[in-house]
Amino acid sequence: MAYLYGMAIECGSEIKAAEQIQEHFKTMDLILLNNKISTFTINLEKENKDYGEISWWVNIYSNEFQTGEGSPEIARVLYKTLETAPNFRFAIVGVEVLLFISFEDISNILNDPSCVAKSYGGLVLSKSTILGTQSESLFEHFSDNYVWMLNRWRG
């Protein structure tokens, strides 16, 4: 069975923010160690929440559709590109990460450091979101306005 490996970026309620992120990632390709070229599919998706709010997502998937070989390389290029991306609320890389977590879930998750450490490696959040939470010490600098959990894919 094939699994989609990629990055989900939650951009909030404004479609313009999501469109800017989508544009930022459009020209990304990667030559893997086995000399295969990994291209990416970039989708804009609208999430309608039960309470009437909307969230816009940019979902970027490797066209390799793999979970094994090449995944660290793919993650590295996704995170490297994210470092210079326009504003977003949060992002995460992994297998089938679309709607894996919502922005509303984050405040609860951040109050349980063991859950964050165990289940959310690679989560990128704005510095303002993490400030003052019980999990603040688990996150490291990612870029000017963002922090992340673990840096196993940093190149």
Side-chain angles (χ1 to χ4, degrees):
M1 178 175 190
Y3 293 98
L4 296 175
Y5 186 85
M7 175 179 275
I9 306 167
E10 203 271 11
C11 301
S13 62
E14 299 296 321
I15 189 171
K16 185 159 182 68
E19 289 171 338
Q20 290 173 340
I21 294 281
Q22 182 184 36
E23 187 64 32
H24 181 75
F25 278 87
K26 268 196 174 160
T27 59
M28 184 178 54
D29 284 335
L30 171 69
I31 299 176
L32 300 174
L33 291 177
N34 62 6
N35 290 325
K36 285 175 93 176
I37 294 176
S38 181
T39 58
F40 296 85
T41 297
I42 304 168
N43 295 321
L44 216 63
E45 298 192 35
K46 179 181 177 183
E47 176 188 14
N48 293 306
K49 311 228 178 177
D50 293 339
Y51 48 89
E53 299 231 355
I54 293 170
S55 287
W56 285 96
W57 291 80
V58 176
N59 296 293
I60 306 157
Y61 291 106
S62 165
N63 291 325
E64 297 298 308
F65 300 118
Q66 60 188 6
T67 60
E69 181 185 357
S71 295
E73 295 168 88
I74 292 166
R76 195 173 298 111
V77 79
L78 288 168
Y79 281 122
K80 197 73 178 156
T81 305
L82 185 67
E83 284 180 329
T84 58
N87 290 338
F88 57 92
R89 295 205 300 184
F90 73 91
I92 192 163
V93 165
V95 177
E96 303 287 339
V97 289
L98 173 61
L99 304 179
F100 173 70
I101 183 177
S102 72
F103 190 73
E104 292 75 20
D105 295 332
I106 289 177
S107 61
N108 292 330
I109 292 164
L110 293 176
N111 288 320
D112 185 353
S114 64
C115 176
V116 171
K118 194 183 318 175
S119 303
Y120 296 97
L123 180 64
V124 178
L125 296 168
S126 68
K127 289 179 180 177
S128 61
T129 300
I130 195 76
L131 279 176
T133 68
Q134 293 178 28
S135 298
E136 184 176 358
S137 65
L138 299 176
F139 285 78
E140 300 174 11
H141 173 81
F142 179 77
S143 65
D144 289 343
N145 297 312
Y146 295 91
V147 293
W148 72 336
M149 171 55 125
L150 300 177
N151 77 359
R152 60 183 165 183
W153 291 295
R154 194 57 150 305

